[in-house]
Amino acid sequence: MEKQVSRKNIFDGKVIKVYLDEVVLDDEKKTKREIVHHNGGACIALRDGDYYFMVRQYRYALGKDMLELPAGKIEIGEDPGYTIAREAYEETGFTAKNIKSLGYIIPTCGYDDEKIYLYYGEVDKEVGQHLDEHERIDVYKYSYEEIKKMIMSGEIDDAKTIVTMYKIELEGLHA
């Protein structure tokens, strides 16, 4: 177990904060840890009959378009269930019903405290897409089998999407 001795905020951004912590190890030696703080996110496999909504958007950090399940950042103090309800209609234009939590994942445990909460839901009603001012998202629908094939081929390489679809299979939700 490591014990924090001090913390210095070295970056305070819109999406992340970065800290430099000094810690004491169990053998009393001191070392430093760089920590990225992120409020977390929520992801939903939104099902419409035999199809799931997917979004394609350019991810600047990777320099490429990504095909993913709809997802978004949890605002400070926001419940992940509220986040995913908001993101479902903002990104796809549909509200969700029969929402089921599939737990969460920790995408990068070595230096980041982010948790991404995973959900399954079914289309309720159309309300129209409400993208944020700087979002550029194309919406598609794919069958469960098509998504599995794209995961196996590497076309879908987004971790939250892969884990969510795997959990859907384990839970028997796409029967």
Side-chain angles (χ1 to χ4, degrees), residues 3-53:
K3 183 178 177 185
Q4 180 183 357
V5 175
S6 66
R7 170 166 278 185
K8 180 180 177 185
N9 184 337
I10 56 177
F11 178 76
D12 193 358
K14 179 180 171 188
V15 176
I16 64 168
K17 295 178 189 304
V18 181
Y19 299 103
L20 180 61
D21 289 1
E22 183 177 10
V23 299
V24 176
L25 305 175
D26 55 4
D27 64 1
E28 300 302 316
K29 291 183 181 172
K30 289 185 178 180
T31 191
K32 296 187 185 296
R33 299 283 186 243
E34 296 169 350
I35 306 297
V36 175
H37 170 72
H38 187 286
N39 286 334
C43 171
I44 189 167
L46 185 58
R47 185 176 175 179
D48 186 11
D50 291 333
Y51 295 89
Y52 290 87
F53 282 95

Side-chain angles (χ1 to χ4, degrees), residues 21-156:
D21 289 1
E22 183 177 10
V23 299
V24 176
L25 305 175
D26 55 4
D27 64 1
E28 300 302 316
K29 291 183 181 172
K30 289 185 178 180
T31 191
K32 296 187 185 296
R33 299 283 186 243
E34 296 169 350
I35 306 297
V36 175
H37 170 72
H38 187 286
N39 286 334
C43 171
I44 189 167
L46 185 58
R47 185 176 175 179
D48 186 11
D50 291 333
Y51 295 89
Y52 290 87
F53 282 95
M54 301 286 292
V55 296
R56 184 176 298 276
Q57 59 186 318
Y58 182 76
R59 294 298 195 173
Y60 178 80
L62 297 170
K64 69 177 192 170
D65 282 338
M66 297 285 291
L67 188 59
E68 318 166 32
L69 290 172
K73 181 174 70 81
I74 297 170
E75 299 298 334
I76 295 172
E78 189 174 58
D79 178 77
Y82 179 83
T83 302
I84 206 51
R86 174 177 46 81
E87 290 294 332
Y89 83 79
E90 284 181 2
E91 292 190 0
T92 69
F94 290 85
T95 59
K97 65 180 180 181
N98 302 326
I99 296 173
K100 177 176 175 49
S101 173
L102 300 174
Y104 66 85
I105 59 171
I106 299 171
T108 313
C109 62
Y111 60 86
D112 190 341
D113 66 359
E114 179 183 20
K115 288 181 182 178
I116 300 176
Y117 295 83
L118 311 175
Y119 293 90
Y120 166 88
E122 297 167 355
V123 164
D124 186 21
K125 59 185 170 191
E126 187 169 5
V127 292
Q129 196 179 39
H130 295 87
L131 297 177
D132 292 338
E133 179 183 356
H134 301 291
E135 281 185 307
R136 306 293 183 264
I137 294 175
D138 295 318
V139 181
Y140 302 92
K141 285 199 259 184
Y142 294 99
S143 73
Y144 183 73
E145 290 303 318
E146 288 173 314
I147 294 170
K148 283 175 45 174
K149 285 178 184 172
M150 289 187 286
I151 288 170
M152 293 309 295
S153 73
E155 183 177 348
I156 294 174

